[in-house]
Amino acid sequence: MTTEQIDEALSGAVERGEIPGVVAMAVGEDGIFYEGAFGRRSLAGDAAMTMDTVFRIASMTKAITSVAALQLVERGKLTLDDPVPAIDPALAKPQVLVLFDRSARPLLRPARRAITLRHLLTHTAGFSYEAWNRNMLQFNGISKLPPMSSGKRAALRVPLMFDPGDRWEYGINIDWVGRLVEEVSGEPLDVYMREHIFAPLGMKDTGFRPSEAQRARQATIHQRNGEGLVPQPFEELITPEFWAGGGGLYSTAADYIAFLQMLLHGGTHNGATILTPATVKMLGENQIGKLHAGIMKTTTPARSRDVNFFPDIPVGWGLATLINEMRGPHGRSMNSLTWAGLFNTYYWLDPTRRIAAVILMQILPFVDKEAAGVYGAYEEAVCKAVDAG
């Protein structure tokens, strides 16, 4: 198998100044068949991207948190279809935002049905994100709740935008899943993940709070604006009231590939069984019926562009990922699993070709045109390399 075209797709984007730097890896049944690092960690410095560069993977955290919850389902501590444990009024007695009155006050009503873990895992519970929902943006603007970035539990206590089960909408659902994992397991989420996922899989550089050594290897986020790509200062490290299961992890390409290899191999990797094959199979099957997933209209263009990874292709959602129900535009097989992180980190798992891949960048806005173009070119080159043998 030749991987020269993959190198060219990534290095060319760096040389043209489309992105500051990128790290990518791909694996098949026999292990890693591609790894590459190009460009710089920051345009303000000389440090090169390396295979051990640490990235903020944002919503790529969600699949890991979902797996943690499914472990507890397997152990009989959670169920998919019963009402979730009443750990907070926002889950026990959810309220739906109906509208805002003439004084811009939110009018709420009780939800028509209870929230289940399946609702949360599939983003059909009714929770949303202000970045893609104007009502949520308005509510957050007038409420006295702390922002999600504060790490305060009160930040999660927002109303639903619709009744559980009525539609798909991306939101803070998996942050609530993380809280359920904490309450049911009796362990903070970082401890639970370290003991039950990261250590068994050998994911030594993945966690919610980077060490000093990991911080020294961290890539800088760049904001694209009228002046081009502008390096941003590192985020402040806080001690939160809850660890953000929806988007708080730092990781490396090698660590995340180990997680994907576990899914690729039916729940087992590195001599450790994380999930049973039956649960992994269910995780990768559409769980939302004819509801359509994956389309998100931005309310904050500097943070995210409109999101629609598969125009004109039916897509569903499993218990952790988006699923394209037809062949993807860059070559991936139908029924592949995928999602991404806010700072333009992406992964996919192709069950037909038996491959999985990650590509990591640190750029805002999400689905930035240039970064998304690099992702597409990378995927196409990987698929061609695999098909060529």
Side-chain angles (χ1 to χ4, degrees), residues 19-288:
I19 57 174
V22 59
V23 176
M25 290 185 73
V27 297
E29 288 278 34
D30 299 326
I32 296 168
F33 66 82
Y34 179 77
E35 58 181 36
F38 303 91
R40 289 179 283 166
R41 292 175 182 164
S42 173
L43 293 178
D46 296 326
M49 284 289 193
T50 54
M51 293 308 302
D52 65 349
T53 295
V54 174
F55 292 82
R56 294 178 69 185
I57 62 169
S59 286
M60 283 172 57
T61 303
K62 288 180 168 64
I64 298 175
T65 305
S66 298
V67 163
L70 291 172
Q71 287 181 324
L72 295 174
V73 171
E74 290 187 344
R75 296 168 192 161
K77 294 186 176 183
L78 283 171
T79 67
L80 284 171
D81 296 313
D82 293 323
V84 294
I87 66 170
D88 192 279
L91 293 182
K93 297 180 180 180
Q95 299 286 304
V96 177
L97 176 65
V98 179
L99 48 80
F100 296 93
D101 67 15
R102 292 181 179 179
S103 299
R105 292 174 300 188
L107 300 180
L108 308 175
R109 63 164 174 80
R112 295 192 174 100
R113 57 189 72 92
I115 295 173
T116 68
L117 179 59
R118 191 185 302 272
H119 288 142
L120 292 172
L121 292 174
T122 59
H123 294 279
T124 59
F127 291 109
S128 68
Y129 279 125
E130 66 173 36
W132 300 284
N133 186 297
R134 293 197 178 280
N135 286 338
M136 193 70 247
L137 182 66
Q138 183 174 350
F139 178 85
N140 283 344
I142 62 176
S143 78
K144 296 182 180 180
L145 296 177
M148 285 289 291
S149 60
S150 70
K152 302 289 187 183
R153 290 182 181 179
L156 296 171
R157 298 182 182 126
V158 296
L160 309 181
M161 296 297 106
F162 54 90
D163 287 295
D166 277 5
R167 67 175 190 261
W168 182 94
E169 183 168 336
Y170 196 50
I172 64 168
N173 303 278
I174 312 303
D175 290 293
W176 276 119
V177 172
R179 287 284 299 113
L180 288 169
V181 170
E182 290 185 323
E183 293 292 334
V184 172
S185 71
E187 297 177 312
L189 189 60
D190 62 333
V191 174
Y192 181 91
M193 286 184 170
R194 183 168 62 247
E195 293 181 353
H196 298 279
I197 299 176
F198 301 153
L201 293 177
M203 298 170 66
K204 60 184 175 59
D205 277 322
T206 302
F208 287 101
R209 190 180 183 91
S211 66
E212 289 186 12
Q214 290 164 340
R215 192 72 151 174
R217 291 185 273 122
Q218 184 178 334
T220 295
I221 293 169
H222 292 74
Q223 176 75 54
R224 196 184 300 277
N225 58 27
E227 300 176 3
L229 288 164
V230 181
Q232 304 298 301
F234 278 162
E235 68 289 351
E236 180 185 359
L237 297 179
I238 64 171
T239 301
E241 292 180 359
F242 74 98
W243 297 107
L249 284 176
Y250 297 75
S251 191
T252 62
D255 274 16
Y256 209 86
I257 276 289
F259 174 75
L260 294 178
Q261 284 177 293
M262 177 273 295
L263 295 178
L264 190 66
H265 297 147
T268 299
H269 179 62
N270 197 36
T273 296
I274 305 300
L275 292 175
T276 65
T279 297
V280 173
K281 181 176 183 294
M282 181 170 56
L283 178 152
E285 295 173 337
N286 182 28
Q287 301 289 323
I288 63 172

